[in-house]
Amino acid sequence: LWNEILDKGRDVLPPGAAGTWLKTCLPLEISGGMLVLDVPNVFIKEQIQSRFLLPLKELVRALGVAEDVELKVGSEIRPNEQKRAEAAAMPLQSQRGGLNPNYVFDNFVVGKSNRLAHAASLAAAESPGVAYNPLFIWGGVGLGKTHLMHAIGHYVCDNQPGAKVVYVSSEKFTNELISAIQNNRTQDFKAKYRSVDVLLIDDIQFLADKESTQEEFFHTFNSLHDAKKQVVISSDRPPKDIQRVEERLVSRFEWGLVTDIQPPDLETRVAILQKKAEMRGYEVPEDVIFFLAQNIPSNIRELEGALNRVVACSELNGEVISVENAAEWLKDIIRNVMRGPVSIDLIQHLVAESFGMPVDDLLSTKRTSDLALARQVAMYLCREHTEASLQQIGYAFNKKDHTTVLHACRKIDELLKTDLRVKSVVDNVRKKL
Ligand code: ADP
Ligand code: MG
């Protein structure tokens, strides 16, 4: 993982940051979301602080490894030399025209949520310019749009050597155009983009308000489309909802096939985590995979980040990967997920107070009838007043699965009709929420 940070750092940190400065550091541990780096001396520490500490923190956060970074000078605890050697021997990613080598169809897990987008991408890759042109893929952040576009690119390169494949974000397209205009090189720009066989243009929504870029893209699009060259476009929303982009352009987006990617269901999340773990050679027990899939539902990038964090924490702290440890290492992330307008924590406190018992009892395994009732009331209220899933509520009450929560909700639903005490406690807590 440290290698990954160094590797990505070469792209996103200032020049020399990873190659010169970071290389001299070693990761010591991750605790409480803090990545602690061992820095050889004060000079280097100051250099890092003044040159790129903030972007480094962002990078570490983006990879999901930790929330923050601390630099420690001259630590006695030096991880073995072997790790340093490994870091030095790390291969540089071979770039195939800007395509990420890992984003291939083989590594893409297909589930209900992305089946159609995957099938359409494969068809476009198989017969570029013929099947669906343009292919328009839309969906939320971190759901696999970029992965599919790169996969199309790799597939075409593999099967039609000599085909010219260009992947570009609409931001980069804009910047290239601007610099071409400034340097009187617009002819080169036009020649470059109008001669490709497959154009993959990512996050098209960024063309909003950029009139001259839209104009240029319009002509590029037409010329490629006329020549039956494949165009693949991605966006965070469907064409009809793209604002501040010319109508004539948006209507062209609908000429071919428009397909979406939805957030993955639990089974797909599990399969994706297993795939990622396998690809990276991580040994992660099944129950931990499930735990991550259940508790980090939002998007696949975050899911991967959580997996990275768990493996990094285990490596650096020398502790086993278990559900218990994972819950501890991911505390901050999981708590964020559970954050709704009302927190589970608050409900637990209010219910415990109403029943006149310590919160700890509510979360314990003790089984008096009063406690059982209090727990059920609290779970019921969490279900009603937070956005947490049944699994998340179960986890917050130290329950292994969600059936206990489901049962509690049904039970309290019934009791509310007949039991005045339960009704008064529930009403009482609701008032305070
Ligand atoms: P988007 O472009 O939609 O924001 P990305 O394509 O960048 O999302 O995907 C985010 C991360 O999730 C990437 O690391 C990608 O490999 C991974 N990912 C997304 N969908 C899948 C999938 N179905 N199978 C395997 N990995 C996936
Ligand atoms: Mg993307």
Side-chain angles (χ1 to χ4, degrees), residues 146 202-203 301:
T146 300
D202 210 352
D203 292 318
R301 195 171 300 140

Side-chain angles (χ1 to χ4, degrees), residues 103 107-110 114 139-148 202 268 272 275-276 300-301 304:
Y103 290 179
N107 293 337
F108 192 84
V109 174
V110 182
N114 58 27
V141 167
L143 297 183
K145 301 182 294 297
T146 300
H147 188 137
L148 279 179
D202 210 352
T268 313
I272 289 173
K275 180 97 207 172
K276 300 280 170 187
I300 299 167
R301 195 171 300 140
E304 251 187 293

Side-chain angles (χ1 to χ4, degrees), residues 188-257:
D188 294 352
F189 180 88
K190 288 188 192 345
K192 169 176 171 189
Y193 282 102
R194 293 180 196 182
S195 66
V196 306
D197 296 302
V198 177
L199 177 63
L200 309 159
I201 182 151
D202 210 352
D203 292 318
I204 200 82
Q205 71 274 7
F206 288 122
L207 287 194
D209 291 328
K210 304 195 175 102
E211 280 158 33
S212 47
T213 313
Q214 288 178 27
E215 174 80 21
E216 182 53 39
F217 183 65
F218 180 74
H219 294 299
T220 307
F221 180 93
N222 288 342
S223 111
L224 291 177
H225 195 269
D226 286 349
K228 300 208 163 28
K229 305 296 187 188
Q230 179 72 46
V231 179
V232 183
I233 301 165
S234 86
S235 165
D236 65 349
R237 64 201 76 180
K240 65 174 171 34
D241 292 343
I242 297 182
Q243 273 139 29
R244 307 193 309 282
V245 171
E246 281 179 78
E247 185 50 38
R248 56 176 186 164
L249 198 48
V250 171
S251 72
R252 273 165 175 69
F253 295 164
E254 290 173 326
W255 278 0
L257 181 79

Side-chain angles (χ1 to χ4, degrees), residues 137-376:
I137 306 172
W138 67 273
V141 167
L143 297 183
K145 301 182 294 297
T146 300
H147 188 137
L148 279 179
M149 295 185 110
H150 285 214
I152 295 172
H154 284 298
Y155 193 99
V156 174
C157 291
D158 288 343
N159 291 287
Q160 304 187 5
K164 189 169 167 202
V165 174
V166 170
Y167 166 84
V168 68
S169 66
S170 69
E171 253 178 322
K172 186 164 170 239
F173 185 85
T174 306
N175 294 338
E176 274 184 36
L177 177 65
I178 293 172
S179 93
I181 293 170
Q182 282 167 350
N183 301 312
N184 286 322
R185 300 187 72 100
T186 46
Q187 286 315 317
D188 294 352
F189 180 88
K190 288 188 192 345
K192 169 176 171 189
Y193 282 102
R194 293 180 196 182
S195 66
V196 306
D197 296 302
V198 177
L199 177 63
L200 309 159
I201 182 151
D202 210 352
D203 292 318
I204 200 82
Q205 71 274 7
F206 288 122
L207 287 194
D209 291 328
K210 304 195 175 102
E211 280 158 33
S212 47
T213 313
Q214 288 178 27
E215 174 80 21
E216 182 53 39
F217 183 65
F218 180 74
H219 294 299
T220 307
F221 180 93
N222 288 342
S223 111
L224 291 177
H225 195 269
D226 286 349
K228 300 208 163 28
K229 305 296 187 188
Q230 179 72 46
V231 179
V232 183
I233 301 165
S234 86
S235 165
D236 65 349
R237 64 201 76 180
K240 65 174 171 34
D241 292 343
I242 297 182
Q243 273 139 29
R244 307 193 309 282
V245 171
E246 281 179 78
E247 185 50 38
R248 56 176 186 164
L249 198 48
V250 171
S251 72
R252 273 165 175 69
F253 295 164
E254 290 173 326
W255 278 0
L257 181 79
V258 175
T259 179
D260 65 330
I261 305 190
Q262 293 295 324
D265 56 18
L266 181 67
E267 288 77 44
T268 313
R269 295 201 296 276
V270 168
I272 289 173
L273 282 170
Q274 279 165 340
K275 180 97 207 172
K276 300 280 170 187
E278 176 200 304
M279 269 170 60
R280 295 167 182 215
Y282 297 162
E283 300 258 344
V284 183
E286 198 149 331
D287 56 344
V288 175
I289 298 261
F290 256 86
F291 172 79
L292 296 178
Q294 278 178 339
N295 287 287
I296 309 197
S298 45
N299 79 48
I300 299 167
R301 195 171 300 140
E302 283 174 26
L303 208 56
E304 251 187 293
L307 179 69
N308 284 347
R309 161 101 61 107
V310 165
V311 172
C313 286
S314 147
E315 274 176 10
L316 291 172
N317 304 346
E319 286 171 322
V320 295
I321 301 182
S322 64
V323 170
E324 215 182 358
N325 283 339
E328 174 63 28
W329 296 328
L330 298 171
K331 235 179 4 203
D332 48 334
I333 299 178
I334 290 173
R335 205 177 291 135
N336 269 338
V337 173
M338 289 185 185
R339 179 189 59 196
V342 173
S343 74
I344 292 181
D345 211 43
L346 177 65
I347 290 174
Q348 289 173 336
H349 276 87
L350 292 176
V351 171
E353 195 180 77
S354 287
F355 277 86
M357 59 178 61
V359 182
D360 286 351
D361 277 5
L362 209 57
L363 310 182
S364 70
T365 49
K366 285 189 223 159
R367 305 181 59 121
T368 67
S369 64
D370 229 27
L371 264 173
L373 182 65
R375 259 177 227 135
Q376 289 176 331

